[in-house]
Amino acid sequence: MPTSFTVVPVEAQQQEAAEEGAPREPPAQEPPGDPHSRSPGRPSTAGGGGGARRRPPTQQTPPAAAGDGIPRESSPFINNSGLERGNVYEGKNMALFEEEMDSNPMVSSLLNKLANYTNVTQGVIEHEEDEDSKRKEIKAPRMGTFIGVYLPCLQNILGVILFLRLTWIVGTAGVLESFIIVFICCAGTMLTAISMSAIATNGVVPAGGSYYMISRSLGPEFGGAVGLCFYLGTTFAGAMYILGTIEILLKYISPNAAIFKADDKAAIEAAMLNNMRVYGTCAVALMAIVVYVGVKYVNKLALVFLACVILSIIAIYAGVIKSAFDPPDFPICLLGNRTLSRQKDFPCAKYAEKDNTTVVTELWGLFCHGTLTNFTCNEYFTQNNVTQIQGIPGVASRVLIDNLWSTYGDKESVVEKQNQPSVPVPEEANNLSLPYVFTDIMTYFTMLVGIYFPSVTGIMAGSNRSGDLRDAQKSIPTGTILAISTTSFIYLSCIILFGACIEGVVLRDKFGEGVNGNLVIGTLAWPSPWVIVIGSFFSTCGAGLQSLTGAPRLLQAIARDGIIPFLQVFGHGKANGEPTWALLLTAFICEIGILIASLDSVAPILSMFFLMCYLFVNLACAVQTLLRTPNWRPRFKYYHWTLSFLGMTLCLALMFICSWYYALIAMLIAGCIYKYIEYRGAEKEWGDGIRGLSLNAARYALLRVEQGPPHTKNWRPQVLVLLNLDSEQLVKHPRLLSFTSQLKAGKGLTIVGSVLPGVYLDKYTEAQKAEENIRSLMGVERTKGFCQIVVSSTVRDGISHLIQSAGLGGMKHNTVLMAWPQSWKQADNPFSWKNFVDTVRETTAAHQALLVAKNIDFFPSNQERFTEGNIDVWWIVHDGGMLMLLPFLLRHHKVWRKCKMRIFTVAQMDDNSIQMKKDLQMFLYHLRLNAEVEVVEMFENDISAFTYEKTLVMEQRSQMLKQMQLSKNEREREIQSITDESRSSVRRKCHSRPQCIGQDVDNLLPNDTQEEEAQLIHDRNTASHSTGMVKSLTTVATPEKVQMTWTKEKFISEKHKNKEACMTGYKDIFCMKPEWGNLNQSNVRRMHTAVKLNGVVLSKSQHAQLVLLNMPGPPKNRQGDENYMEFLEVLTEGLNRALLVRGGGREVITIYS
């Protein structure tokens, strides 16, 4: 059974002395010209062995690479913390490399470490050391192929099924089908052994045997799932061996020891099951105590148990040879062609001569209602004669021909001899009270496969002992394959010999009822059946003990890997390393198998788990071979991926052949464990093949995707998220990642990027810290994607690099998501308005969509839920459908699920708003989108004085910023004074004008305390000029009512009404403000649009949960970039959550299927 191992590197003599409390002596000064004599970590001749055996109290692992976050396995190679530091390399030969000696050791030191890199048995050796702590020297592993691999595999493969069930399988399935069953099972294990040999010789296999091989080849998810399945299989194997032990005890050694007894045939079977449960529970408890107290005695008794197996096999072959010239005398009594049970001794005849008179035998009392000849008897008994045949006719007889074919039967059917003359009688129900030999279960081919397969398990016994082998990479393949070949020959030859020597009715007699209750295989053995009985008893008992020894250590190895969090407790045990808690769990699971109480029912269960383990061993070898990874260099060369694939297919077929429902349950258990490890397990990087397979699959998919752009139906936002970091490399706006996860819901590509200004060589540590912080935040926000940090001389260049080069091949982003720069008016801000506008231009040039989230800190987290509200879309210009697709994607997330979608569009002077609404509703219907539609009419009035003043302030700010050269402190004082004056004048202005184009007073100018420093410097006269607008602004009125359809009369009347209301005021204002005439009329018109749109949006969507607007493009003239920022600020003033959307220049939504 499997035994776990752990890797313990050899400690240096100085470290050993420190652990033992001995004073450390300074090393003697060595000649400077001999650097090889000072190899760090070289043990002394006397203490090197002791350091190899001693396990440190806590296993120290080397620190992971900075920024990695993935624990690494201990290794004697580069960057090993076990290497002693502080050695002074005084020689001049290696001066060129002296600065790297700490991380890259000398070759002489490395080779010395590798020479002493060994592994010892986990748990067992520690137990022995605890009891014999004075032992200092440990001999090097000296076991060869025969002792270390061949004999353990032989002992584990030959077991309970051979002694208790093989004869019954041969009799039921026939020699030919039995040969097929054994050949298929042995072929599966042989192919698995070839794959296992390749994996086991591809480096050291230190811990957990098959679990280690699978987990390091296929990754922690597969390793944990299959490792637990192998553990369950080993545990149920222990239950099967214990049940076999109890069956031998109660059936063949001491039948009178049964606690529950019965006379009726049906009650006898139930009583036997109860006896198995009681004795089996006691045996489990006793074996668990033995394992807990004295593991080393179990190992020492292994040779005794192995001797029992070998002697039993020799006795069988000796009996076959003897049967050729002197068959043993085991008569079988037949009534017609039906076999009679002779557990009670009675003459095989109806009549007997007694005192020269013919009298009836005891059979009359069993088949008749009395012992007189005139009593009513069973009809079959009356019509047929009683005959006696030899149960073991011998190998020279022709019984092999009769046993070639199968004889399957139903449950409780009578065991009959074929080709035996009998008088048939009308159909009658089987009377279990009659002394026939009945079958206890229904038999068929696939069921026999499930019962037989456990007899070929145990091929991992050699690989589990790799630490004790002299040359593991030579011994494991040779010993395992040789053991499988030997046991396959034994099984196949036994099938033929059993069919050639034993009568068919005896073979089908599972419990030997027809041969006076003897073990059927024992009747063939020489010199006595008791050789087989005693040998099989100790053999099964020893196998059960080894299962209870190996299974807890396998569970301990899995628990100590930390891949399954809830199993951590089973990694602990006694002070000497014995897995106490794992032993208790193993005994509990084993007790479940004992309560089943039927060996025939337990065998298919453990067959599933072993077959699944073998399946993944073959899969691991096939994957590694096909991937051709550089590290795949097994010394065993006689393997091929087709053999591994054939073995994997055969194991999968055997799973469903044995029991399709057990196979599905086992796969479901493994799948649940796999998903649990994937979801909750610790991240491990073991260089497994699944990762390599994923890389190959990703490469293939990327090459396919790169052939062309995706179709509109397949388009989804592949987002590049641009994050800002503070001085501590923490994310300034975490809600940006929350919004990303809500938008993506785990679908498509997400790249989270950020830029650090500086030089990469100087900022390497900060970049790693930033990446760790971002990855941690992505885990908290459940944002599935990739992180990319760019260190560039300027933030502007770094963002440009991200936009151009993020992604790979066809998996590139098509959308950029960023936060609105709240403090864009600060000239010294790292993410200034200039960077923002250039980012907008670059995304447009790259044909990528752009999403700008304003007030991102007010966006909901993933834990919030909107129970009501609207997502408002203001569709001003056509952008390819982005505005309508984004709310649809958002409403898939639970945060936005209950929000309703509303679409607003703006009607101009020449538009028919009623027809626009109908067309838009029809368009949404074809798009399969549910949304409310509203057409908003905007009348075209003259430009208001407020717009002129806003434009004037904007241009003066821009000019003054360019002209004034103030220090930072002077600029801050100037900003504060001007801001105070501006706010006082604006407040007076708005108090005199209740309706300020749909805006409240606080939105006219930036008034947030945090943004006061961000206001640009403007002329002091601006505030006084603004006060002159108060009278004029009171004359500007908003329309009282907006109708759905423009008419010529309506348009003229609205236009004249507004003109009359404003004409006088405008004339006065122009007289008061002659500088308005010098304003850039393009800026005036843009500001007019922003003010008007902002007013309309606020009137409709001020209380919406999210507002999506078309984002206007930046001006072609770069001189007006700062004005562009002001336009966007005015456009979105007063909105709680706004998302500015700019399309990528292609259609992203379609009405077609």
Side-chain angles (χ1 to χ4, degrees), residues 138-338:
I138 305 298
K139 294 183 180 180
R142 295 185 179 277
M143 285 195 295
T145 304
F146 186 75
I147 298 295
V149 181
Y150 179 75
L151 290 182
C153 287
L154 207 68
Q155 179 185 2
N156 280 269
I157 295 174
L158 299 173
V160 61
I161 300 297
L162 171 64
F163 300 121
L164 296 183
R165 292 293 183 268
L166 189 59
T167 55
W168 172 70
I169 292 174
V170 173
T172 304
V175 173
L176 293 180
E177 291 187 21
S178 300
F179 197 91
I180 293 173
I181 292 174
V182 174
F183 181 80
I184 291 175
C185 295
C186 291
T189 55
M190 179 62 77
L191 293 172
T192 303
I194 293 174
S195 300
M196 183 197 70
S197 299
I199 298 175
T201 57
N202 189 50
V204 181
V205 182
S210 60
Y211 158 71
Y212 186 93
M213 290 188 293
I214 296 173
S215 62
R216 270 57 176 182
S217 298
L218 294 180
E221 294 87 1
F222 279 110
V226 180
L228 279 184
C229 286
F230 192 56
Y231 163 74
L232 292 174
T234 306
T235 306
F236 274 102
M240 184 188 71
Y241 293 134
I242 294 173
L243 288 175
T245 303
I246 304 304
E247 182 177 315
I248 293 172
L249 175 67
L250 297 180
K251 285 281 188 181
Y252 309 114
I253 296 179
S254 179
N256 295 327
I259 299 176
F260 301 94
K261 299 180 180 180
D263 296 329
D264 184 54
K265 187 75 174 178
I268 289 175
E269 183 177 351
M272 183 61 185
L273 294 178
N274 291 328
N275 288 322
M276 299 279 282
R277 294 185 179 102
V278 173
Y279 277 95
T281 302
C282 296
V284 168
L286 181 61
M287 289 182 179
I289 293 173
V290 171
V291 171
Y292 178 78
V293 173
V295 173
K296 63 179 182 179
Y297 301 112
V298 176
N299 292 333
K300 290 178 179 178
L301 287 173
L303 287 177
V304 177
F305 301 142
L306 178 61
C308 294
V309 174
I310 295 176
L311 288 176
S312 300
I313 299 296
I314 293 174
I316 292 172
Y317 282 105
V320 170
I321 296 173
K322 181 178 177 295
S323 69
F325 52 86
D326 185 15
D329 184 24
F330 282 99
I332 303 298
C333 190
L334 301 177
L335 176 62
N337 64 350
R338 299 180 180 181

Side-chain angles (χ1 to χ4, degrees), residues 1120-1140:
D1121 287 352
E1122 63 274 16
N1123 299 336
Y1124 172 70
M1125 297 294 293
E1126 189 73 39
F1127 296 146
L1128 295 181
E1129 188 78 62
V1130 172
L1131 179 63
T1132 56
E1133 276 182 344
L1135 298 177
N1136 294 329
R1137 304 181 192 91
L1139 185 67
L1140 295 172

